[in-house]
Amino acid sequence: MALGSRSLQCAQNHVRGRSERGGGRPFVASTVAPRGRRSSVQCSAILGQLFKGASGAAAGAGVAAAAQPELEPEFQAWLRGQGIITQPLVLRQCGREGRGLVADRPLGRGEALLQLPDSLLLTPQRAAEESCLAPLLRQLSPAGASTSAAGAAALPLPEWSLLALYLAELRGRAAAGDRGSRWAAYVDMLPQRPGTVLDWPAKETRQLLRGSPLLRLADSIAAAAAASWEELAPLIARGRAEGLVPAHVSLSKADLDWAFGVLLSRCIRLPGRDQLQVLAPWADLLNHDVNAETGAAAAGAAGSGATGSGASGSGGCHLDWEPTARGGAGALVLRTDRAYAAGQQVYVSYGPKSSGELLLSYGFCPPPAANPHQDYKLLVGVNDSAAADPLAALKAEVLAKHGLPPSLEFPLKLEGLPAGLLNYLAFVEAAPQVPQELHDLGSLLFEEGVFPLLDGADTLAAALKSLGNRCTAALKAYPTTMEVDQALAAGAAAAVVNRSPRGPRGRASPTAATATGAAAAAAAAAAATATAGGDGLVTLGTEDVSVSVLREAAVAGIRVRERQILQRTQASAIAQLAEVKRAARSRRR
């Protein structure tokens, strides 16, 4: 029976399933931008979504740090000169994680740390005002608006582009020995290579990420950076022609690429200030913990009084702007989710990100098997080719009516299917004999969360079959086998064990032993098994993944986990499909 106005009641009697949340719009998925060239604002948004946000709770025991000489003395002297005098946190070298902030005394749960004033935040407004191109930027500002006005609408360029432009200028000044900017000590402290995917050779990036949904993320990051450069290059050229850019400041594409990488790995979004994107000296030295948003510690700190809700909507240890801090003047504050002993590293969360997202955007890779946020982002969408799907345009229209885009990424995990996936699949796969029935189907799937019969066919069964087929295709897309990837990932532990961390900003320490290739990794395999406990659960830091062979091993470990997620999802879809068919046979009897 066709699903139409006469059969709505009948359809209700043939419901085969209900979404995990019942009615409403049970969707937890990320929107994929439509094909075609993105605007600079859209590209900035792509990169802005990757920034450290108001972070969740910090869990884990932390890393005990022995007494060490003061790191970055000039930077810390600058901080003291900016009024950051009494801090219960000290900068220490924390193993493979690199530098981190360590408790200088016992800290209580919910304690307010950092207390950075607005004057110490490098905001887009401040970047526009202090840039050598400020006269041109003022001309680009909306009529009647000043660069110091609140809100992104008053800015001449996207926040991302303004910060990158000024960072690149500061880097050029520092390279020429120009110490005139008050941010010079901060820029000196930044790494020479941020370690993000923007530092990877383009050919290697495509080879490493082939078959993985991470390739889409890498492409979007690269495209956003390229669009920002295209937007800024004419402005820089005009500034040179008008004598605004000092001769010793290069403002080259290499400088901008470096700035984009710094922003990817260090920029912070502040929910307490309308998602303002800022660079926060000192606060950006806090390291990430993959377990920071899980467990009792996160829930226990939810009522600590912080203003932000966290990147995942949970309470706990996070960075955000608190208007009542510093006697009502407001400040960037870190709220601890638990007690810390003196000498333990204090963590925040950069958000519920997979190890692949952390690798591409921040330049380090926690072991995927130990990351509770590890997922496989399955792209589902309407086939925009009229030849492949004559109903494509109508489907996109119906989806838009329900507030949904024509394509979505759904995060598959080992624990189960994401809400709304089967509903979306059922709609995308539908091919009704009467096209207008798509409107009724959309209402049932997306508003009521039920799976009706369509032309006598079970829409839930169609969705499950499609999911199984998509998992099969995804598994075949990887260029390597599971066994090869497992061996590569295990070899990473070997190479890391015999590779000493480097010094600040990527300079090799005098005793550093650097892995130089696959041979070094293979030679250390036996040592790794003993040192890493044989489980391969080794976090690869920024200096580790700057080595090509270790970067390859990191991606291999991610592919292993992605395959495991796909295999479990595939098995679940097959089992559920068999149950749906058994139930249908029982009803026919």
Side-chain angles (χ1 to χ4, degrees):
M1 178 183 294
L3 174 62
S5 58
R6 294 182 56 194
S7 58
L8 280 177
Q9 183 62 44
C10 181
Q12 298 290 352
N13 296 329
H14 288 282
V15 172
R16 294 296 179 262
R18 190 168 293 271
S19 70
E20 293 86 344
R21 290 172 49 192
R25 296 179 184 171
F27 286 88
V28 180
S30 56
T31 302
V32 178
R35 295 173 185 170
R37 185 172 180 177
R38 299 178 177 90
S39 69
S40 60
V41 174
Q42 289 173 320
C43 292
S44 295
I46 290 172
L47 290 156
Q49 291 168 3
L50 303 170
F51 294 160
K52 303 176 191 176
S55 50
V63 178
Q68 301 176 17
E70 184 178 56
L71 300 178
E72 305 292 352
E74 291 185 12
F75 169 65
Q76 297 207 52
W78 173 75
L79 284 173
R80 289 189 289 271
Q82 301 296 315
I84 307 302
I85 300 174
T86 57
Q87 284 278 346
L89 301 174
V90 292
L91 182 61
R92 291 288 182 263
Q93 197 69 26
C94 300
R96 309 222 72 81
E97 292 177 287
R99 296 169 299 181
L101 298 184
V102 171
D104 194 37
R105 60 165 173 78
L107 301 175
R109 176 183 294 187
E111 188 164 344
L113 305 177
L114 299 180
Q115 304 270 2
L116 302 184
D118 176 80
S119 61
L120 201 59
L121 303 182
L122 182 46
T123 65
Q125 292 84 357
R126 196 160 278 136
E129 292 168 0
E130 298 179 10
S131 169
C132 63
L133 297 174
L136 295 183
L137 293 173
R138 283 193 290 271
Q139 295 176 22
L140 294 175
S141 298
S146 68
T147 55
S148 60
L155 296 174
L157 295 172
E159 293 178 326
W160 164 270
S161 296
L162 287 172
L163 287 169
L165 180 64
Y166 191 43
L167 266 184
E169 176 187 335
L170 292 174
R171 188 195 197 204
R173 291 183 181 276
D178 181 347
R179 311 287 299 175
S181 169
R182 74 182 185 96
W183 304 100
Y186 173 57
V187 174
D188 285 347
M189 184 272 301
L190 295 174
Q192 296 293 333
R193 286 174 58 89
T196 72
V197 70
L198 294 174
D199 289 333
W200 300 9
K203 183 178 180 180
E204 180 186 340
T205 299
R206 303 205 69 79
Q207 290 175 338
L208 285 182
L209 301 181
R210 185 156 62 94
S212 171
L214 290 175
L215 183 57
R216 292 196 301 271
L217 175 60
D219 285 344
S220 68
I221 292 173
S228 288
W229 167 249
E230 290 179 5
E231 178 180 52
L232 294 172
L235 184 69
I236 295 171
R238 181 181 169 189
R240 286 199 187 284
E242 297 185 12
L244 297 176
V245 181
H248 62 277
V249 176
S250 62
L251 280 182
S252 65
K253 186 177 185 299
D255 291 329
L256 266 296
D257 285 342
W258 169 83
F260 296 145
V262 169
L263 290 176
L264 267 179
S265 58
R266 308 182 87 86
C267 201
I268 300 170
R269 284 182 295 107
L270 301 179
R273 289 183 65 172
D274 296 324
Q275 303 296 330
L276 179 69
Q277 298 171 10
V278 303
L279 284 170
W282 190 246
D284 61 6
L285 289 165
L286 288 161
N287 286 322
H288 171 75
D289 180 358
V290 296
N291 294 309
E293 293 174 337
T294 62
S304 64
T307 59
S309 60
S312 67
S314 63
C317 182
H318 67 273
L319 287 166
D320 201 2
W321 183 261
E322 293 195 14
T324 59
R326 297 181 73 92
L332 178 68
V333 173
L334 165 68
R335 290 279 177 178
T336 58
D337 68 307
R338 53 177 283 268
Y340 284 95
Q344 285 185 308
Q345 184 179 178
V346 176
Y347 291 100
V348 293
S349 168
Y350 299 171
K353 300 182 184 299
S354 70
S355 294
E357 290 172 303
L358 293 169
L359 175 62
L360 269 57
S361 300
Y362 297 90
F364 68 94
C365 185
N371 187 347
H373 308 299
Q374 195 63 31
D375 60 21
Y376 178 98
K377 289 185 170 58
L378 180 68
L379 178 62
V380 181
V382 176
N383 192 325
D384 55 9
S385 169
D389 187 354
L391 300 177
L394 182 56
K395 288 180 179 178
E397 176 186 327
V398 174
L399 287 169
K401 174 185 173 183
H402 293 280
L404 298 168
S407 63
L408 283 175
E409 282 184 336
F410 289 87
L412 303 180
K413 292 190 175 184
L414 290 174
E415 296 78 16
L417 300 182
L421 169 59
L422 294 179
N423 308 60
Y424 199 89
L425 275 172
F427 185 81
V428 168
E429 296 293 343
Q433 295 176 5
V434 181
Q436 291 304 313
E437 291 180 351
L438 284 171
H439 291 281
D440 296 327
L441 179 61
S443 296
L444 287 170
L445 289 171
F446 303 132
E447 300 298 337
E448 300 184 36
V450 298
F451 295 84
L453 293 180
L454 180 62
D455 297 330
D458 193 319
T459 53
L460 177 58
L464 290 167
K465 182 179 179 181
S466 174
L467 179 58
N469 291 340
R470 289 169 188 267
C471 289
T472 299
L475 287 166
K476 291 180 179 179
Y478 289 109
T480 55
T481 65
M482 174 75 94
E483 293 73 22
V484 168
D485 281 342
Q486 287 172 329
L488 283 171
V496 168
V497 166
N498 283 356
R499 185 176 186 274
S500 301
R502 292 190 173 194
R505 297 185 296 282
R507 294 191 294 268
S509 61
T511 58
T514 304
T516 57
T529 301
T531 307
D535 57 11
L537 298 182
V538 176
T539 293
L540 300 181
T542 300
E543 292 304 327
D544 297 320
V545 298
S546 67
V547 179
S548 180
V549 66
L550 296 183
R551 190 158 58 237
E552 180 184 10
V555 174
I558 292 168
R559 285 198 299 258
V560 168
R561 200 59 169 178
E562 288 178 347
R563 278 193 180 93
Q564 292 170 342
I565 292 171
L566 286 169
Q567 289 169 345
R568 183 168 294 186
T569 301
Q570 182 185 49
S572 175
I574 292 172
Q576 290 184 59
L577 179 58
E579 181 59 33
V580 167
K581 290 180 176 179
R582 279 195 295 271
R585 288 194 297 269
S586 297
R587 284 190 297 273
R588 285 196 294 268
R589 295 195 195 102

